[in-house]
Amino acid sequence: MLHSHDHAAFADSLLLWFSQHQRPLPWRRDYTPYQVWISEIMLQQTQMERGVEYFLRWMDRLPDIAAVADADEETVLKLWEGLGYYSRVRNLHRAARIIVREHAGEFPGRLEHIRALPGIGDYTAAAIASIAFRQDVACVDANVERVLARVCDIDTPVKQKENMAFVRATAQALLPPGKAREFNQAMMELGALVCSKKARCEDCPVRRWCEAHHLGIVHERPVPAARKPVSHIDVATGVLVHQGRIFIQKRPDHGVWAGFWEFPGGCVEPGETPERTVEREFMEEMEFPVEHAGKITVIHHGYTTYRVTLHCFFLRLRSGTSPAPVLHAATDHRWVRFGELTDYTLPAGHRKLADMLATDLRLPALLDG
DNA sequence: CACACGTGGCG
DNA sequence: TCGCCAAGTGT
């Protein structure tokens, strides 16, 4: 059991472990508010390893807040392509402009000002305040929740309100004043490397204070929240080829994949074949009458709450059709050469499809024909 | 407060 | 193949 007189020893053990085992990461060098901010947003719901390459590319292209504020939306979206949860980058872009306008371009150091920026919630505000500005505020993410659910043997779903309040208070009580930067990162690093889903208790620097470890039920903590079942949908999309070019359109400014470019398509309705879906969607969305020119592939793609089977087809315009679309589901369109597809920001499933086109032997003939 | 929001890795 | 999930936020 973790008593208040153990708090200092707990923190000491944890901090010693962190000093020896922390991973060297690009945002752990200078701890500038800008770099801490970008890394925190990038790492939300994202694997550390994937975050590193995106972070380095971002810093290379946009080295400071002013550069972000000056960049256009296309640029920041392209830098985020493939990371997911794209509202993060839109909020980040807005926040950079707010910082320039309202904070003279300097990242704000007060917790309430940090928290007020778009895209920054309780966790990220505390993370930036502590890691960049060394304020004594504990941050609580899924790692901290998991660690403390085990240390304190919380036997109900940790996401419950009372549990969250308890976890937050415990994290704050454990935090040694003046060492918030190291302590908060140490708690998260412990959760990532040792107190992970499959716990490695033999390597844990704080197991002597861990209730679940004493009880031998670490694997039963934290108690997960109930989950909704994952649903499955079929989607069909078409690569429309005409006079050496491929048709793409730009999605609306709101909703999923806002501002992304895509091959048109839509959900396969009950009783409908994917072939028919594509014909219907191309007529509804662009008023294009199309004919099929071959099935390309089927792409399986998973999302948080549903799985998609994406049926992909080559299409041609019916002879005599004007290549000028009447857009009903998009804000813009392009007829692009194959090689230009890399310049546009596509959802991951469509990016996969675009990559497959590179090796499809039918495409050159269609482009010529 | 439940739900939407992306993606790729892993067992 | 498939469910779970990885440094959450906005509505």
Side-chain angles (χ1 to χ4, degrees):
Chain A
M1 188 62 180
L2 182 65
H3 295 289
S4 57
H5 59 263
D6 297 321
H7 286 176
F10 181 102
D12 283 347
S13 294
L14 179 66
L15 291 173
L16 177 61
W17 172 85
F18 183 63
S19 69
Q20 295 166 342
H21 296 281
Q22 66 170 301
R23 291 167 288 186
L25 295 166
W27 49 85
R28 283 181 177 161
R29 286 203 285 263
D30 305 329
Y31 288 112
T32 67
Y34 173 61
Q35 294 196 357
V36 172
W37 172 42
I38 300 301
S39 69
E40 288 300 334
I41 302 297
M42 272 188 181
L43 290 172
Q44 289 171 7
Q45 304 289 289
T46 301
Q47 315 271 26
M48 174 79 71
E49 286 194 10
R50 299 198 63 216
V52 171
E53 72 179 279
Y54 279 88
F55 178 87
L56 294 173
R57 195 161 51 109
W58 181 283
M59 286 300 155
D60 186 53
R61 177 72 181 74
L62 302 171
D64 53 37
I65 297 172
V68 179
D70 289 342
D72 50 35
E73 174 139 304
E74 298 274 346
T75 300
V76 297
L77 260 190
K78 186 68 184 170
L79 284 167
W80 213 268
E81 182 185 21
L83 260 189
Y85 284 133
Y86 299 101
S87 64
R88 290 184 294 174
V89 71
R90 263 181 280 278
N91 284 329
L92 196 157
H93 195 210
R94 286 172 51 210
R97 293 179 170 181
I98 291 171
I99 292 168
V100 166
R101 183 165 11 98
E102 298 180 12
H103 300 283
E106 204 76 11
F107 199 95
R110 284 178 54 184
L111 185 62
E112 63 201 278
H113 292 158
I114 299 172
R115 178 65 177 81
L117 292 168
I120 296 184
D122 289 340
Y123 161 75
T124 304
I128 296 172
S130 60
I131 296 172
F133 295 100
R134 291 189 171 283
Q135 292 178 39
D136 287 329
V137 51
C139 65
V140 175
D141 73 328
N143 285 307
V144 178
E145 285 171 30
R146 187 171 55 254
V147 169
L148 292 180
R150 287 168 172 168
V151 169
C152 303
D153 187 36
I154 297 172
D155 62 3
T156 50
V158 67
K159 288 289 183 192
Q160 284 176 7
K161 211 171 82 177
E162 323 83 74
N163 286 337
M164 287 301 289
F166 175 78
V167 165
R168 196 176 296 258
T170 304
Q172 189 65 44
L174 285 167
L175 193 161
K179 296 181 179 170
R181 169 185 291 175
E182 294 76 20
F183 177 82
N184 281 340
Q185 291 191 87
M187 287 287 279
M188 295 189 279
E189 195 82 331
L190 185 75
L193 299 182
V194 174
C195 197
S196 47
K197 187 167 71 164
K198 184 172 165 48
R200 301 167 40 185
C201 296
E202 64 279 8
D203 296 329
C204 181
V206 296
R207 64 176 180 271
R208 102 183 74 146
W209 298 285
C210 182
E211 190 69 15
H213 177 62
H214 288 156
L215 296 171
I217 56 169
V218 165
H219 60 286
E220 295 176 29
R221 302 287 179 264
V223 177
R227 280 187 183 276
K228 266 183 52 176
V230 176
S231 54
H232 291 218
I233 59 172
D234 281 272
V235 173
T237 190
V239 177
L240 175 61
V241 182
H242 181 70
Q243 292 184 348
R245 293 171 184 265
I246 294 170
F247 183 85
I248 56 175
Q249 63 179 7
K250 191 176 190 184
R251 297 179 60 89
D253 293 331
H254 297 287
V256 68
W257 298 303
F260 276 61
W261 294 83
E262 66 173 6
F263 305 109
C267 278
V268 178
E269 302 294 344
E272 196 177 46
T273 64
E275 285 81 356
R276 174 67 195 128
T277 302
V278 179
E279 295 166 25
R280 176 176 56 73
E281 292 282 348
F282 272 70
M283 187 56 74
E284 289 175 4
E285 296 192 351
M286 286 90 61
E287 300 189 16
F288 273 156
V290 296
E291 57 190 39
H292 281 272
K295 184 145 194 171
I296 303 171
T297 187
V298 173
I299 292 173
H300 297 278
H301 212 66
Y303 298 87
T304 310
T305 52
Y306 56 101
R307 286 185 62 78
V308 171
T309 302
L310 181 63
H311 304 263
C312 309
F313 301 95
F314 282 125
L315 304 172
R316 276 188 294 254
L317 284 176
R318 294 238 187 96
S319 61
T321 305
S322 160
V326 181
L327 297 180
H328 293 290
T331 59
D332 202 357
H333 82 281
R334 294 278 190 282
W335 284 101
V336 299
R337 299 180 196 287
F338 171 72
E340 293 168 340
L341 282 173
T342 54
D343 300 336
Y344 293 84
T345 309
L346 309 182
H350 289 227
R351 177 57 67 196
K352 266 189 217 171
L353 171 55
D355 290 344
M356 295 187 70
L357 294 178
T359 56
D360 195 303
L361 300 176
R362 293 167 296 177
L363 184 63
L366 280 164
L367 288 169
D368 288 342

